[in-house]
Amino acid sequence: MQHPSEVEHAKNTVRLLQLALPQTQIYVGETAEDFAELQGYLAAQTRPVFIVYPNDHSKAASEVEADNKAIIVLIDGTWRKAYRMLQLNPWLLNYPSLHLECDDESQYVIRKAKRSDSLSTLEAAAYTLASLEPGADITPIFAVFNAMVHHKLTAMPAAVRQRYNSDKLKG
């Protein structure tokens, strides 16, 4: 579920996620009416559906037993926009919520975040996949992501680039 303001954003990680995982489906909108097609699709599924969004009732993705047929719904937008999308789509509460327990900091160094646990949607997808399916190879997802981050950093003027903590990219 992608907020409309993210669609044309130059740092759109959902677009990259779709390149790495072609089965990714993107639904753009904000309100329940915008997501009517997605709501119908999910309601018709016999596979488990999980919403990746931390809350008081969410379970750690690593603690959930789900096979590789599970459907993972991510909400793409700033924390504020994602929260608003969740509020405007109460039907999402019909599905169990997952949260991630990541020890690693986000590698999304080209975008500032107020929260230390902020991940890009691509990172959240990769870590969720790795938690639900421990044998999954998420390196192609991060290869695309890291290439984009490196490209954006090298395109910045040196004075601007210094504002970003590029030492996170080591490794």
Side-chain angles (χ1 to χ4, degrees), residues 36-47 49 71 95:
E37 182 182 347
L38 173 61
Q39 188 175 357
Y41 170 77
L42 294 176
Q45 296 303 309
T46 57
R47 302 180 287 167
V49 175
I71 297 172
Y95 301 102

Side-chain angles (χ1 to χ4, degrees), residues 50-118:
F50 297 99
I51 309 300
V52 178
Y53 193 88
N55 61 49
D56 293 340
H57 307 291
S58 62
K59 294 183 179 179
S62 60
E63 296 173 2
V64 173
E65 290 194 27
D67 61 22
N68 62 0
K69 302 292 185 211
I71 297 172
I72 306 303
V73 178
L74 297 128
I75 303 173
D76 182 52
T78 63
W79 277 107
R80 177 176 280 187
K81 290 174 186 173
Y83 178 75
R84 177 150 171 78
M85 289 169 66
L86 194 62
Q87 297 303 304
L88 293 172
N89 293 278
W91 57 270
L92 289 171
L93 301 175
N94 295 329
Y95 301 102
S97 296
L98 301 178
H99 63 264
L100 298 168
E101 295 175 320
C102 292
D103 295 330
D104 299 327
E105 286 189 33
S106 173
Q107 296 302 303
Y108 202 21
V109 296
I110 58 173
R111 211 174 210 191
K112 299 292 182 188
K114 293 178 183 174
R115 294 175 52 134
S116 62
D117 61 348
S118 293

Side-chain angles (χ1 to χ4, degrees), residues 101-145:
E101 295 175 320
C102 292
D103 295 330
D104 299 327
E105 286 189 33
S106 173
Q107 296 302 303
Y108 202 21
V109 296
I110 58 173
R111 211 174 210 191
K112 299 292 182 188
K114 293 178 183 174
R115 294 175 52 134
S116 62
D117 61 348
S118 293
L119 297 173
S120 70
T121 302
L122 181 142
E123 290 172 305
Y127 289 134
T128 301
L129 180 62
S131 291
L132 294 177
E133 197 177 328
D137 181 12
I138 59 172
T139 53
I141 299 170
F142 279 106
V144 172
F145 178 74

